[in-house]
Amino acid sequence: MGSETENRKSLPMIDFNDENLKPGTQTWVSTCDAVRVALEDHGGFLAHYDKVDPLLNHSVFSAMKQLFDLPLQTKMQHTTDKPIYSYAGQRPDIPLYESMAIDNPLNAKSCHNYTTIMWPQGNHQFSESVNSYAKKVAELDYTVKRMVFGSYGLENEKCERLLESTDYVLRCYKYRTPEIGETNLGVRAHTDSGFLTILNQRLNGLEVQLKNGEWFQVDASPSIFVVLAGDAFMVWSNDRICGCVHRVFMNTEVERYSLGLLSYAGKVMEPEEKLVDEEHPLRYKPFDHYGYLRFFLTEEAVKAASRIKAYCGI
Ligand SMILES: O=C(O)CCC(=O)C(=O)O
Ligand SMILES: [Fe+2]
């Protein structure tokens, strides 16, 4: 009873370190269901995942500090044609917030190209740690998606096709400390516009809204990854899984860094046909993710009660 009450107040924690976590085992089956239920209930969960070595974690966060320490003009250089808003910051409503995006971080050459734009003289440590980090976190992303497909009884091939047509972005966030009289809001409550976001924060500050409306503060740890469903997951799941609402407050005296591996559908995506039935009639038209990202900041989108429904809801 006691633990049930406690559970409702926290985001579920799911262990991804168990040696038996392989397709075909009982641990795999029960974890698949735990992942699906957490996503259906809260749009997210905490993954206990220790495949990112503490040294790599340290090295990638040092790299982030170097990146944000660059002159603003350097940081604002255009690095991708995709509408992922490479640099974001200097916003009067959220003055503490800055963020930058590395497109296609699983590819060593893309990391190198990005690094060369930021440091024309080169910065091997940056490019190397970003690429290694993204690859490790992507393994968790693949596992989570395979588990969701498994738990809905969908064929593996379908999941592999989705993974193949997925584009990844590594988004880095920095929050400076507020000055006297300034807001301590880092980012206001929102859902992410991607498919799935996997976050690791250097310092506390992230809060996630639970199903019962309460806010849950996530504790920072190198081996705790916050897995959040985004708007595209709602489309794919035909609303069985909702985007996870989250926000950030700066409650510390030191600047805060956080890293997110975000996934986007590289091809037009439709709600999974097996998740459409009498009880769950079709809720979305075919969805063009980059079209959605372009729509995202328009006046029509900002005014809408739900941007994703305004874009492609039925
Ligand atoms: O800083 C964080 O941990 C998350 C930031 C965030 O949610 C966002 O910018 O979408
Ligand atoms: Fe977010």
Side-chain angles (χ1 to χ4, degrees), residues 153-199:
L154 304 168
E155 302 86 335
N156 286 338
E157 294 71 42
K158 277 195 170 171
C159 185
E160 297 312 313
R161 280 206 293 279
L162 177 94
L163 293 179
E164 275 162 24
S165 62
T166 294
D167 292 338
Y168 289 91
V169 169
L170 188 69
R171 198 164 260 291
C172 330
Y173 310 96
K174 178 195 170 183
Y175 305 78
R176 62 169 175 79
T177 53
E179 282 158 20
I180 294 165
E182 213 175 22
T183 174
N184 70 339
L185 175 70
V187 183
R188 64 183 73 256
H190 67 283
T191 57
D192 285 351
S193 56
F195 195 96
L196 195 70
T197 298
I198 304 190
L199 282 175

Side-chain angles (χ1 to χ4, degrees), residues 81-112:
D81 291 335
K82 292 185 195 148
I84 56 166
Y85 320 110
S86 185
Y87 176 84
Q90 318 302 318
R91 284 180 43 181
D93 56 333
I94 43 168
L96 313 180
Y97 176 88
E98 273 188 286
S99 114
M100 295 181 76
I102 303 164
D103 190 17
N104 198 10
L106 306 187
N107 180 283
K109 199 156 186 306
S110 304
C111 293
H112 175 78

Side-chain angles (χ1 to χ4, degrees), residues 17 48-62 125 128-140 200 202 221-225 259:
N17 301 317
H48 188 207
Y49 179 68
D50 62 12
K51 305 268 174 357
V52 178
D53 185 275
L55 275 179
L56 175 57
N57 180 278
H58 181 78
S59 147
V60 78
F61 277 103
S62 312
Q125 187 261 343
E128 186 53 40
S129 53
V130 159
N131 183 232
S132 307
Y133 177 85
K135 286 199 283 200
K136 286 287 175 201
V137 180
E139 282 175 32
L140 177 61
N200 185 257
R202 197 61 203 264
S221 154
S223 59
I224 302 296
F225 290 78
L259 267 175

Side-chain angles (χ1 to χ4, degrees), residues 112-279:
H112 175 78
N113 292 345
Y114 181 89
T115 306
T116 313
I117 292 172
M118 296 299 152
W119 290 276
Q121 72 282 18
N123 182 343
H124 186 65
Q125 187 261 343
F126 181 89
S127 142
E128 186 53 40
S129 53
V130 159
N131 183 232
S132 307
Y133 177 85
K135 286 199 283 200
K136 286 287 175 201
V137 180
E139 282 175 32
L140 177 61
D141 173 277
Y142 305 154
T143 305
V144 168
K145 288 172 184 161
R146 287 181 183 130
M147 286 180 159
V148 173
F149 275 71
S151 185
Y152 281 126
L154 304 168
E155 302 86 335
N156 286 338
E157 294 71 42
K158 277 195 170 171
C159 185
E160 297 312 313
R161 280 206 293 279
L162 177 94
L163 293 179
E164 275 162 24
S165 62
T166 294
D167 292 338
Y168 289 91
V169 169
L170 188 69
R171 198 164 260 291
C172 330
Y173 310 96
K174 178 195 170 183
Y175 305 78
R176 62 169 175 79
T177 53
E179 282 158 20
I180 294 165
E182 213 175 22
T183 174
N184 70 339
L185 175 70
V187 183
R188 64 183 73 256
H190 67 283
T191 57
D192 285 351
S193 56
F195 195 96
L196 195 70
T197 298
I198 304 190
L199 282 175
N200 185 257
Q201 53 174 353
R202 197 61 203 264
L203 274 177
N204 287 11
L206 178 69
E207 298 184 5
V208 168
Q209 193 168 34
L210 303 173
K211 185 161 76 168
N212 63 7
E214 281 182 39
W215 287 96
F216 170 75
Q217 294 178 10
V218 179
D219 279 331
S221 154
S223 59
I224 302 296
F225 290 78
V226 192
V227 179
L228 306 169
D231 298 338
F233 219 142
M234 286 178 73
V235 174
W236 174 82
S237 70
N238 198 34
D239 276 352
R240 307 226 190 177
I241 291 171
C242 281
C244 186
V245 181
H246 55 286
R247 66 185 183 189
V248 173
F249 280 109
M250 272 296 286
N251 298 315
T252 48
E253 301 290 306
V254 255
E255 57 202 20
R256 172 179 180 274
Y257 292 89
S258 181
L259 267 175
L261 185 75
L262 279 63
S263 48
Y264 296 93
K267 279 196 198 145
V268 171
M269 189 181 77
E270 295 192 39
E272 163 53 45
E273 57 185 5
K274 293 212 173 129
L275 301 182
V276 177
D277 56 28
E278 247 172 61
E279 222 185 298

